[in-house]
Amino acid sequence: METKIFNTDQIAEAAAAIQAGQLVAFPTETVYGLGADATNEAAVKQVYLAKGRPSDNPLIVHVTGEETVKAFAQPLSDKAEALIKAFWPGPLTLIFALQPGKLSSAVTGGLNTAAFRNPDNAATLALIKAAGVPLVGPSANTSGKPSPTLAKHVYHDLNGKIAGILDDGPTKVGVESTVLDMSTDIPTILRPGGVTEEQLAAVIGTVQSSHHKVGKTEVPKAPGMKYKHYAPNAQVTIVDHEADWTAALQWASEQSGTIGVMAVDRILQAHNLPDNVEAFSLGHDLTSASHRLFAGLRHFDLESPVTGILAQGFTAEGLGAAYMNRLNKSAGQQHFTN
């Protein structure tokens, strides 16, 4: 199969491929997603095959608004309506209890709940409308690898495995959406993301964060809860404190291969980098670092291979919770110790 790059003037052609049961990657404000007709079980199963994704890892259903959600989910609560009004379209995924038989177990992982999102990207909203169906949309990468923030990242992983990629340039947010479970008594964050716990609480009151570890035989309710994620080829090591960078760079200088360094400009400019270090700027603050995190991991995979990566850590508060969630998973919880 030849994977075609669709530009934003070719949305009708991309939608026709979706309607024919094929897979088309699409842009969102967070990362690129791998799209298939959420009501076509055969197409959904092809998503798992293309990604090499475990079949008990549920998929997020992308919609153009709450009317589509109401066709599948149990009646929405007042809190759910308030969240939709406040954050959709945007980087917030909401899990709802389903009406019986409305979505295939290939979408839900066999659960009686499903995750829904209204992405903040005009091209993708136009694609969903043109296709006339909601789209499943896990990250458009090989399962376990860093999420794609550019069409070329998708092409690298999935060329020949999917029909096409709708290219709308780089994504804006860079880390995936917050996943909030609305099927529990107290709304529960299952994955931190672009909408923070504080922002959610300001709209609906108390929310809680799940620290539940999914067992080997347990089906996760949201992506990223059970399996290895975001890992580049080289081992990532997190440098938690600015004071540790002198020692970390000394360690890097003693390694035989090239070491990648991902940090904000202030840190990169404050140190004389060893000759065997290649720097990737995370910008100037946490917001830009969250935007550039996956791009940096992809850079050291695809454009400048290295034998190890040192990456800057941030305090896990607000957006930092999402950044550190992804970075810890990419590093396998490995932190630099001086």
Side-chain angles (χ1 to χ4, degrees), residues 173-324:
V173 176
V175 293
E176 300 95 335
S177 61
T178 302
V179 177
L180 183 67
D181 189 356
M182 296 299 293
S183 70
T184 54
D185 291 337
I186 300 175
T188 302
I189 297 172
L190 301 184
R191 181 180 75 184
V195 177
T196 67
E197 181 175 345
E198 293 77 12
Q199 289 174 306
L200 295 169
V203 175
I204 61 170
T206 302
V207 299
Q208 62 185 0
S209 295
S210 173
H211 299 288
H212 172 65
K213 186 174 181 180
V214 178
K216 289 183 178 180
T217 61
E218 186 179 353
V219 177
K221 293 184 78 173
M225 294 182 68
K226 183 176 181 180
Y227 297 100
K228 186 178 180 182
H229 272 64
Y230 318 121
N233 294 329
Q235 174 63 50
V236 176
T237 301
I238 301 169
V239 182
D240 291 294
H241 308 292
E242 291 198 23
D244 292 335
W245 275 100
T246 298
L249 290 170
Q250 176 62 37
W251 170 87
S253 72
E254 297 166 356
Q255 306 309 303
S256 59
T258 301
I259 302 298
V261 167
M262 298 170 54
V264 297
D265 293 337
R266 180 183 68 259
I267 288 174
L268 297 179
Q269 293 165 4
H271 297 272
N272 293 319
L273 300 182
D275 291 340
N276 68 325
V277 160
E278 179 175 340
F280 183 92
S281 170
L282 292 177
H284 58 279
D285 60 11
L286 173 60
T287 299
S288 62
S290 298
H291 178 230
R292 293 181 59 78
L293 174 62
F294 289 143
L297 296 175
R298 284 275 173 176
H299 170 78
F300 289 125
D301 258 4
L302 308 183
E303 299 172 31
S304 187
V306 292
T307 57
I309 299 171
L310 296 172
Q312 181 179 353
F314 285 89
T315 303
E317 297 176 353
L319 183 59
Y323 175 91
M324 290 306 297

Side-chain angles (χ1 to χ4, degrees), residues 45-284:
K45 288 181 176 179
Q46 288 299 312
V47 170
Y48 290 99
L49 291 174
K51 282 177 59 67
R53 180 187 179 99
S55 60
D56 68 348
N57 204 2
L59 302 173
I60 294 173
V61 180
H62 291 66
V63 300
T64 57
E66 68 176 287
E67 290 308 313
T68 305
V69 177
K70 290 177 178 178
F72 295 96
Q74 299 282 356
L76 303 184
S77 66
D78 290 343
K79 287 184 177 181
E81 296 274 9
L83 289 169
I84 287 171
K85 182 178 180 180
F87 298 110
W88 279 14
L92 176 64
T93 294
L94 298 172
I95 293 178
F96 298 117
L98 289 171
Q99 299 175 40
K102 285 292 185 176
L103 278 173
S104 164
S105 62
V107 176
T108 66
L111 301 173
N112 61 2
T113 58
F116 295 88
R117 181 159 111 77
N118 179 199
D120 188 13
N121 180 278
T124 286
L125 293 177
L127 174 66
I128 298 171
K129 289 177 181 177
V133 291
L135 303 181
V136 296
S139 56
N141 58 317
T142 300
S143 189
K145 287 299 181 182
S147 296
T149 56
L150 291 168
K152 70 177 182 179
H153 298 160
V154 182
Y155 191 83
H156 174 269
D157 281 16
L158 300 178
N159 179 32
K161 298 179 181 179
I162 64 176
I165 304 165
L166 178 58
D167 187 355
D168 191 36
T171 61
K172 294 183 293 185
V173 176
V175 293
E176 300 95 335
S177 61
T178 302
V179 177
L180 183 67
D181 189 356
M182 296 299 293
S183 70
T184 54
D185 291 337
I186 300 175
T188 302
I189 297 172
L190 301 184
R191 181 180 75 184
V195 177
T196 67
E197 181 175 345
E198 293 77 12
Q199 289 174 306
L200 295 169
V203 175
I204 61 170
T206 302
V207 299
Q208 62 185 0
S209 295
S210 173
H211 299 288
H212 172 65
K213 186 174 181 180
V214 178
K216 289 183 178 180
T217 61
E218 186 179 353
V219 177
K221 293 184 78 173
M225 294 182 68
K226 183 176 181 180
Y227 297 100
K228 186 178 180 182
H229 272 64
Y230 318 121
N233 294 329
Q235 174 63 50
V236 176
T237 301
I238 301 169
V239 182
D240 291 294
H241 308 292
E242 291 198 23
D244 292 335
W245 275 100
T246 298
L249 290 170
Q250 176 62 37
W251 170 87
S253 72
E254 297 166 356
Q255 306 309 303
S256 59
T258 301
I259 302 298
V261 167
M262 298 170 54
V264 297
D265 293 337
R266 180 183 68 259
I267 288 174
L268 297 179
Q269 293 165 4
H271 297 272
N272 293 319
L273 300 182
D275 291 340
N276 68 325
V277 160
E278 179 175 340
F280 183 92
S281 170
L282 292 177
H284 58 279

